[in-house]
Amino acid sequence: MSNAFRILVAIDLKPGTDRLLAEAQRYAKALDAIVNIVHIADPDSDFVSYVKGEQEVTDYEDPDPDFVSYVKDEQETKTGAHEVTDYNHTFRGDRAKEFRLEHQQVHALAEKMRAGGIRVDQALTVQGPTLEKLLKEASKLDTDLLILGSHQHGALYRLWYGDIAIDATKQAPCALLVVPI
């Protein structure tokens, strides 16, 4: 890797993303840095595939046959139909479309930053446990500064869902900037 200063900005595509990217842009200009953008999509055990071009890419295990059999029996009892596979395929297709849309949004944000004169190297959308994937990408991309946002939820929300920003301060492999959004 080059000796250029590298910034990784983690986005969630929620309100406040523009403020977070503006802060990343400000630091990138000041430090003449290369920016990587990462969006960690919700970990979804039922999400199994997305289409890349004309080819379907799958990354899943077959569902538990006992569970599928149970659901199929319940469905047949209620409707007399045999559409469990169609439901699973529809759900997977909907989730795949959502994942592709998120990926396109991340790339559009990267293009917007490039148009503003920022050197954006990669715009990634990955799926999995947020903190684990974020720290892994930061290390893999040889990040010097990790920028992420904090939505400043209340104590009950943080207790129930956790707080990535607080957890990241304890484990970040590089300098960390938390932007209140």
Side-chain angles (χ1 to χ4, degrees):
M1 296 232 140
S2 70
N3 291 332
F5 195 86
R6 301 185 76 79
I7 295 174
L8 176 63
V9 58
I11 60 173
D12 61 6
L13 301 174
K14 293 180 181 172
T17 296
D18 288 339
R19 183 167 192 267
L20 186 61
L21 289 173
E23 199 66 22
Q25 205 164 357
R26 190 169 73 90
Y27 274 81
K29 285 181 181 178
L31 299 169
D32 191 31
I34 296 172
V35 175
N36 292 301
I37 301 172
V38 65
H39 167 62
I40 313 292
D42 290 332
D44 187 349
S45 60
D46 292 328
F47 174 63
V48 296
S49 67
Y50 74 96
V51 177
K52 181 177 181 181
E54 296 298 318
Q55 179 181 15
E56 184 169 14
V57 179
T58 57
D59 183 16
Y60 65 95
E61 296 177 13
D62 289 329
D64 179 7
D66 293 332
F67 178 72
V68 171
S69 176
Y70 168 77
V71 172
K72 185 175 180 181
D73 291 344
E74 288 292 311
Q75 193 75 2
E76 288 174 0
T77 302
K78 291 179 183 176
T79 64
H82 304 279
E83 298 182 11
V84 173
T85 303
D86 291 339
Y87 169 78
N88 286 337
H89 186 267
T90 300
F91 174 78
R92 293 171 185 160
D94 290 347
R95 184 64 184 113
K97 286 178 187 175
E98 183 180 327
F99 190 77
R100 279 193 310 275
L101 178 61
E102 290 173 2
H103 184 68
Q104 290 168 352
Q105 289 173 325
V106 171
H107 277 269
L109 291 168
E111 286 304 317
K112 184 177 176 182
M113 286 185 79
R114 285 183 186 113
I118 302 300
R119 295 183 296 164
V120 177
D121 186 24
Q122 296 185 46
L124 306 169
T125 302
V126 296
Q127 186 177 29
T130 305
L131 183 61
E132 178 185 323
K133 289 290 185 176
L134 180 59
L135 298 176
K136 182 179 178 182
E137 291 300 324
S139 293
K140 193 164 56 171
L141 295 169
D142 198 26
T143 302
D144 296 302
L145 175 63
L146 173 60
I147 300 176
L148 52 94
S150 176
H151 290 282
Q152 301 188 9
H153 294 291
L156 187 59
Y157 182 94
R158 287 192 313 273
L159 177 67
W160 188 259
Y161 294 106
D163 190 328
I164 299 301
I166 290 172
D167 294 339
T169 61
K170 299 171 188 170
Q171 302 176 43
C174 58
L176 176 67
L177 173 65
V178 179
V179 179
I181 53 176

